[in-house]
Amino acid sequence: MTRKITLTDHEETLRQLLLDVSEYIGTQGDCIRPQLRFTGGWVRDKLLGVESKDIDISIDSMTGYRFGTLMKQYLDDPARRTQYGEDVVGRLAQIVANPEKSKHLETVTTKVLGLDIDLVNLRKETYDEDSRNPTMEFGSPEEDALRRDSTVNALFYNLETSEVEDLTKKGLEDMELKVIRTPLSPYQTFKDDPLRILRCIRFASKLGYNIESEAEKSMSDESIKNALRAKISRERVGIEIEKMLKGPRPRYALSLIDRLGLYDTVFTDPSQEGALVIDTTHWSKAYNELCTIERAETGGCPSPGALETIKNMLIMNDHELYLSWLLCAVTPWAQLENPVKQKKRSKKNLAMAAVVAREGLKTENKALNVIRDAAVHYTEIIASKDAYFEEASSVVVPMKRKQEALSREALGMAIRRWGGNWRSATLFAMLVEIMRVEESTGRQEIEEQYAGWLTHIKSLDLMNAYTFKPVVDGAQLILALNRPSGKWIVGALNIVMEWQLRNPGKTATEDAIGEVKMRWKELGLE
């Protein structure tokens, strides 16, 4: 690993602009020329050879908003705009501090030369034993470095000297050792701001680093976990979890949460008094399985054919991969089969997996719908898969179940009932089953069963059955059958769809209407 940073041409232009602004500020009345540093993640990533367009800039003698305002003032000169470009600086967005939710710092975000920039003053934090919120003051570079979550995120790049500054005296060494360590006592670091627990886990998983043993011990401390539950907004918890699951090593992130005993702190419903504690003994089977599926195409899998089939049919893009990891995160809650009664304003009761996502992670609505659908339909999906393989074997099962297991009509109607999220729900069902088996042979059998069942569905051209449109609509049925509009139309359209599924390729409306007439009594009509 290099200890020198080489700027790109774009970054060098930004550096020179900022130094010019700093010099200009020094000429304005009683202003002191500020010292500027690139800080945190950008420095770490550059040392690792990873390019980044997000840069945090620390200022030693004024707020970020004041610096940004003076920078725009400096660039009001037409000659300077010509030198750097007309749209060199975007609008300044001021993000206010919210100490009650451990958002202690006011920051200013903007775009400079097309790069995303955060401007913030160097600071130190002083915590009172009786208060959750720190007193924020201007600080020295050393004080600013020591109050950060980890040594590898506390490195600075001095714009004046073009040198990396390791003011914790541990950051560069820890990068060499691939260790996440807190600059100060881990217990006090996490007690002061419990969100640092999740940030350390996220960076460990992002970088592939180990967490230092004393930090791990403090993360598992009950008083620290209680502080995380009480002090940090669930929106910020959800943001950290989303970044972990979208990162390069989501399995590692979940395994750390599991091993450190944080599951019931993170994946919980904080709105309920006396939060439920769920058994996570077998959760590792789910996240290890999903990791194996994700890597299926790289070879070395126990049953690569089955796993590749599952991956190609259930995880088709990066967003679906993220949703898969999000579903994996809540699989332990599938043990609670009964839905949870909601408040009066909610018409529907939710499965606990969906409640945890909504209340504990503040998951956005589209992803929440995926979890809700998976929790509702996964047992029926398991039953459909099992029936297919029972029919194909010598096992004696009821004739109706056999027919439904292979019937294009019944399977197509089931997929329509499961909806557009059925593939994600199928993955959830598989992971839940994997958690329940003891032997690796049982796991491989489940993999092969799902691969076979999905292949059967694809052979019937039913992967997108939920999008199929009836060849006749309600208005046509009303006219053809000379009946007033009513609830019967829903049943009639289902009959039409069943006829279409039995007769792929046929589109004659008169035949579809004839099917409805033959099954007239099923609609409760005389």
Side-chain angles (χ1 to χ4, degrees):
M1 183 195 76
T2 181
R3 296 196 174 201
K4 293 285 186 181
I5 286 179
T6 301
L7 301 182
T8 65
D9 291 343
H10 217 42
E11 290 165 345
E12 180 56 42
T13 302
L14 173 64
R15 171 181 169 273
Q16 191 56 57
L17 167 61
L18 293 170
L19 289 175
D20 290 346
V21 173
S22 175
E23 185 175 356
Y24 165 77
I25 291 173
T27 66
Q28 302 303 298
D30 59 353
C31 289
I32 300 172
R33 179 181 178 181
Q35 290 186 344
L36 305 175
R37 292 170 173 83
F38 294 160
T39 66
W42 179 89
V43 182
R44 179 202 67 230
D45 288 347
K46 289 291 284 189
L47 290 171
L48 292 171
V50 177
E51 294 300 325
S52 175
K53 291 187 176 181
D54 298 326
I55 306 178
D56 293 347
I57 300 169
S58 68
I59 308 148
D60 71 339
S61 58
M62 63 179 58
T63 66
Y65 189 76
R66 176 66 173 154
F67 181 87
T69 302
L70 290 169
M71 177 165 57
K72 291 179 78 71
Q73 179 180 302
Y74 170 78
L75 290 166
D76 282 343
D77 186 324
R80 292 166 182 152
R81 285 203 303 274
T82 300
Q83 178 183 356
Y84 289 107
E86 285 295 326
D87 299 321
V88 58
V89 179
R91 183 179 65 87
L92 300 179
Q94 192 171 14
I95 302 173
V96 299
N98 182 5
E100 286 298 325
K101 298 300 182 181
S102 279
K103 179 65 178 174
H104 306 309
L105 184 65
E106 175 185 290
T107 60
V108 171
T109 64
T110 188
K111 272 192 179 290
V112 182
L113 297 170
L115 299 168
D116 294 317
I117 302 299
D118 281 6
L119 300 168
V120 65
N121 58 278
L122 293 172
R123 65 273 187 201
K124 67 177 179 179
E125 300 170 351
T126 305
Y127 288 82
D128 189 298
E129 280 294 322
D130 298 324
S131 174
R132 295 175 175 175
N133 305 323
T135 301
M136 302 295 295
E137 305 173 57
F138 278 91
S140 67
E142 291 81 2
E143 289 168 329
D144 190 276
L146 291 172
R147 56 124 208 126
R148 292 178 178 258
D149 51 47
S150 62
T151 58
V152 300
N153 287 338
L155 298 167
F156 296 158
Y157 175 81
N158 190 308
L159 270 61
E160 194 74 48
T161 65
S162 298
E163 292 181 352
V164 174
E165 298 174 336
D166 182 6
L167 302 177
T168 69
K169 306 290 193 274
K170 284 286 188 180
L172 292 170
E173 179 184 349
D174 286 342
M175 288 189 70
E176 294 280 2
L177 295 172
K178 298 186 176 182
V179 168
I180 296 294
R181 184 194 317 273
T182 58
L184 299 175
S185 154
Y187 181 86
Q188 196 60 49
T189 296
F190 299 140
K191 190 76 169 177
D192 289 344
D193 185 356
L195 190 69
R196 291 168 178 161
I197 296 171
L198 299 182
R199 285 177 56 82
C200 285
I201 291 174
R202 173 160 66 87
F203 286 113
S205 65
K206 176 180 179 177
L207 301 171
Y209 287 9
N210 294 317
I211 298 176
E212 183 263 337
S213 59
E214 282 302 310
E216 284 198 352
K217 182 179 178 182
S218 295
M219 287 177 174
S220 301
D221 186 279
E222 284 301 319
S223 64
I224 297 295
K225 292 195 285 187
N226 289 336
L228 177 57
R229 289 190 194 97
K231 190 173 182 180
I232 305 302
S233 75
R234 300 314 293 194
E235 288 85 357
R236 297 192 76 198
V237 171
I239 288 169
E240 288 299 321
I241 294 299
E242 180 176 347
K243 288 179 178 179
M244 291 179 203
L245 301 184
K246 288 183 175 179
R249 299 174 185 84
R251 189 210 70 84
Y252 184 32
L254 296 183
S255 71
L256 286 171
I257 290 172
D258 190 11
R259 181 165 59 81
L260 296 173
L262 292 167
Y263 189 89
D264 294 316
T265 304
V266 176
F267 300 106
T268 187
D269 176 10
S271 67
Q272 299 292 328
E273 293 184 11
L276 291 170
V277 176
I278 200 71
D279 181 12
T280 57
T281 305
H282 301 293
W283 183 38
S284 61
K285 296 177 184 178
Y287 56 71
N288 287 334
E289 177 69 12
L290 183 53
C291 184
T292 305
I293 293 171
E294 182 183 354
R295 297 175 180 176
E297 293 177 347
T298 64
C301 299
S303 51
L307 290 172
E308 287 173 11
T309 297
I310 291 164
K311 178 179 179 180
N312 291 335
M313 298 178 75
L314 300 184
I315 308 175
M316 296 184 178
N317 53 53
D318 288 344
H319 182 63
E320 289 188 352
L321 179 61
Y322 160 66
L323 292 175
S324 299
W325 281 109
L326 185 59
L327 286 165
C328 182
V330 296
T331 47
W333 289 107
Q335 298 169 72
L336 295 183
E337 296 183 357
N338 295 326
V340 179
K341 188 174 182 180
Q342 301 299 291
K343 297 177 182 177
K344 290 182 180 179
R345 60 183 175 83
S346 177
K347 295 181 180 179
K348 293 182 178 180
N349 292 336
L350 288 178
M352 192 63 192
V355 174
V356 166
R358 187 185 67 185
E359 302 296 335
L361 304 178
K362 298 299 179 182
T363 302
E364 55 90 15
N365 285 337
K366 287 185 179 180
L368 182 61
N369 287 339
V370 173
I371 296 173
R372 183 200 63 197
D373 290 349
V376 168
H377 298 303
Y378 84 92
T379 53
E380 189 180 353
I381 289 171
I382 292 173
S384 176
K385 181 267 302 177
D386 285 347
Y388 172 73
F389 280 96
E390 287 170 355
E391 199 289 329
S393 70
S394 59
V395 177
V396 176
V397 294
M399 181 56 67
K400 182 180 179 183
R401 189 174 176 187
K402 285 186 177 184
Q403 291 171 344
E404 291 182 350
L406 292 178
S407 159
R408 187 174 192 273
E409 171 191 338
L411 196 49
M413 293 302 289
I415 290 173
R416 291 176 65 79
R417 188 165 58 252
W418 301 334
N421 297 322
W422 79 272
R423 291 183 298 108
S424 292
T426 297
L427 184 67
F428 183 77
M430 177 181 168
L431 295 178
V432 170
E433 279 206 89
I434 291 291
M435 286 198 303
R436 295 172 178 171
V437 297
E438 296 297 332
E439 303 295 335
S440 62
T441 53
R443 173 177 57 78
Q444 291 177 33
E445 181 181 0
I446 289 171
E447 292 167 355
E448 290 164 2
Q449 286 183 352
Y450 276 93
W453 182 68
L454 289 166
T455 300
H456 174 61
I457 291 172
K458 186 175 182 179
S459 72
L460 297 176
D461 194 23
L462 291 176
M463 293 294 289
N464 296 314
Y466 60 92
T467 67
F468 294 175
K469 303 293 184 186
V471 295
V472 295
D473 59 25
Q476 290 172 296
L477 287 171
I478 290 171
L479 184 63
L481 302 177
N482 193 27
R483 287 279 179 170
S485 178
K487 294 181 179 180
W488 66 271
I489 293 176
V490 174
L493 289 173
N494 282 335
I495 290 173
V496 170
M497 182 53 64
E498 289 168 356
W499 174 83
Q500 287 177 229
L501 289 167
R502 286 197 307 274
N503 301 279
K506 290 188 177 182
T507 58
T509 57
E510 59 271 21
D511 291 346
I513 292 171
E515 178 75 10
V516 175
K517 289 179 177 179
M518 282 198 314
R519 297 170 62 181
W520 190 260
K521 291 184 179 179
E522 293 180 31
L523 301 175
L525 298 173
E526 295 298 331

